Amino acid sequence: MSKVKIVVAGPRGNMGKEAVKMVSSTDEFTLVAAVDSKHAGMMLSEIEGFQGIDIPIYTDMQQCFKENEVDVLIDLTAPAFGKKHMQTAFENGVRPVVGTTGFTEEDIIELRATAEEQGIGAIIAPNFAIGAILMMKFSQMAAKYLPDVEIIERHHDRKLDAPSGTAIKTAQLISEVREQKAQGHPNETEELAGARGANFEGMRIHSVRLPGLVAHQEVIFGGVGQTLTIRHDSIDRTSFMPGVKLAVDAVLRIDTLVYGLEHIIE
Ligand SMILES: NC(=O)c1ccc[n+]([C@@H]2O[C@H](COP(=O)([O-])OP(=O)(O)OC[C@H]3O[C@@H](n4cnc5c(N)ncnc54)[C@H](O)[C@@H]3O)[C@@H](O)[C@H]2O)c1
Ligand SMILES: O=C(O)C1=N[C@H](C(=O)O)CCC1
């Protein structure tokens, strides 16, 4: 069987570095090129930390797809670019696997329509860690019985978007099983703006950003005389790579856009 030809966008980033390692060390994958925000025309092997990885770097994704045969784009860049990168992939018949966060519900609807029109598989996964998918699934189960819930997500202080993609996805999954409801005291006031966090259909989401953190989330449910906390911690970015690999395998077999790995790990 021929190898899956992959481009990684964002190779020098925290996630991109791990993805380059994972793709390069997976027998059934071959890394054909990288798309970076700089270093056009250089080889990745010329950059510290990528010795022996002789693939070209492009800053223009169109050019990258014109000059190389590519099956899958793994995008791990920044919220401002995820949507554009997916559109460029679709235009070139390339299947995107996207970990980049910051997509709106409207973006996802629009991108799914394009994927289906063109019959190209695509995956957007706000979190690739299997434990985080389980945390979200367990939270959805718990919300049926304990509908009062708040989410606390904690990330490193280099993160651009808040709340995290995982927190939004968790809130969306919970909202599928609970009626929208206001939480807390009906007359509560915020003495400092933002004290009660972001409001997703009555669910509060609190975002913590600190050096030393990687990616963590607690989903706290409150009932009469009890609380339930479901917590996940990624303490290293290698935690995301089995999920990226799984998504690459899956995206070759679908012809629509799947949002969330919970649809792949049944
Ligand atoms: N889905 C997941 O499991 C998961 C896990 C971690 C991070 N993320 C998300 O992945 C994204 C990247 O996270 P990170 O921690 O690696 O960030 P990072 O800032 O460490 O790396 C991003 C890299 O992308 C590059 N880049 C930016 N714009 C680009 C462009 N237009 N073209 C090519 N390269 C570009 C930057 O130069 C940088 O090297 C973020 O959106 C983050 O929220 C998702
Ligand atoms: O490091 C990040 O940035 C992460 N972002 C994702 C999110 O926004 O949910 C998931 C984990 C790490």
Side-chain angles (χ1 to χ4, degrees):
M1 221 178 73
S2 65
K3 293 191 179 207
V4 184
K5 295 178 272 306
I6 297 176
V7 164
V8 172
R12 289 177 299 110
N14 291 319
M15 283 290 282
K17 274 182 207 145
E18 292 300 332
V20 165
K21 266 194 243 164
M22 183 278 287
V23 172
S24 307
S25 62
T26 301
D27 285 345
E28 61 268 35
F29 295 166
T30 181
L31 186 62
V32 295
V35 176
D36 198 349
S37 48
K38 55 183 188 181
H39 301 312
M42 285 174 66
M43 298 297 280
L44 195 58
S45 51
E46 293 175 70
I47 294 174
E48 203 188 326
F50 295 102
Q51 280 71 20
I53 305 183
D54 283 317
I55 55 156
I57 300 175
Y58 295 82
T59 50
D60 180 343
M61 194 174 275
Q62 282 286 5
Q63 188 191 354
C64 173
F65 293 151
K66 293 279 174 274
E67 293 183 8
N68 298 276
E69 201 184 312
V70 183
D71 300 312
V72 174
L73 164 71
I74 300 178
D75 193 88
L76 299 161
T77 57
F81 303 104
K83 186 177 177 189
K84 179 82 197 69
H85 287 175
M86 286 188 77
Q87 287 163 334
T88 307
F90 288 145
E91 282 160 31
N92 288 276
V94 173
R95 293 166 184 261
V97 166
V98 180
T100 304
T101 44
F103 290 88
T104 63
E105 290 193 50
E106 293 72 32
D107 290 338
I108 289 166
I109 291 167
E110 187 187 325
L111 290 161
R112 181 174 290 125
T114 310
E116 290 180 357
E117 257 164 51
Q118 306 199 5
I120 298 177
I123 296 179
I124 298 175
N127 201 313
F128 286 113
I130 306 305
I133 307 304
L134 293 173
M135 166 192 62
M136 290 186 256
K137 284 191 164 205
F138 296 157
S139 299
Q140 192 183 43
M141 283 169 67
K144 263 192 202 166
Y145 306 98
L146 294 167
D148 285 83
V149 51
E150 304 220 357
I151 298 170
I152 305 177
E153 55 97 341
R154 300 182 176 86
H155 282 84
H156 58 92
D157 64 349
R158 303 291 84 203
K159 186 163 179 58
L160 292 171
D161 52 323
S164 69
T166 308
I168 294 170
K169 181 72 185 175
T170 307
Q172 289 167 339
L173 289 171
I174 290 174
S175 71
E176 284 173 18
V177 299
R178 79 163 209 169
E179 292 292 309
Q180 179 161 341
K181 75 188 291 261
Q183 293 183 191
H185 196 287
N187 299 330
E188 75 181 13
T189 57
E190 286 187 326
E191 305 307 325
L192 277 180
R196 290 286 291 119
N199 186 341
F200 186 103
E201 296 185 5
M203 251 174 280
R204 297 295 173 158
I205 305 178
H206 311 269
S207 297
V208 178
R209 297 289 177 265
L210 286 171
L213 294 171
V214 178
H216 318 259
Q217 182 168 290
E218 273 175 51
V219 188
I220 308 173
F221 297 88
V224 179
Q226 60 182 321
T227 66
L228 168 67
T229 303
I230 301 174
R231 175 178 174 133
H232 176 260
D233 297 272
S234 270
I235 52 174
D236 190 286
R237 290 180 179 85
T238 50
S239 63
F240 301 114
M241 292 307 125
V244 177
K245 182 173 182 306
L246 202 78
V248 171
D249 291 335
V251 82
L252 299 168
R253 294 182 265 109
I254 58 176
D255 54 10
T256 181
L257 185 155
V258 167
Y259 167 51
L261 273 201
E262 70 279 7
H263 299 292
I264 305 291
I265 306 161
E266 293 292 353

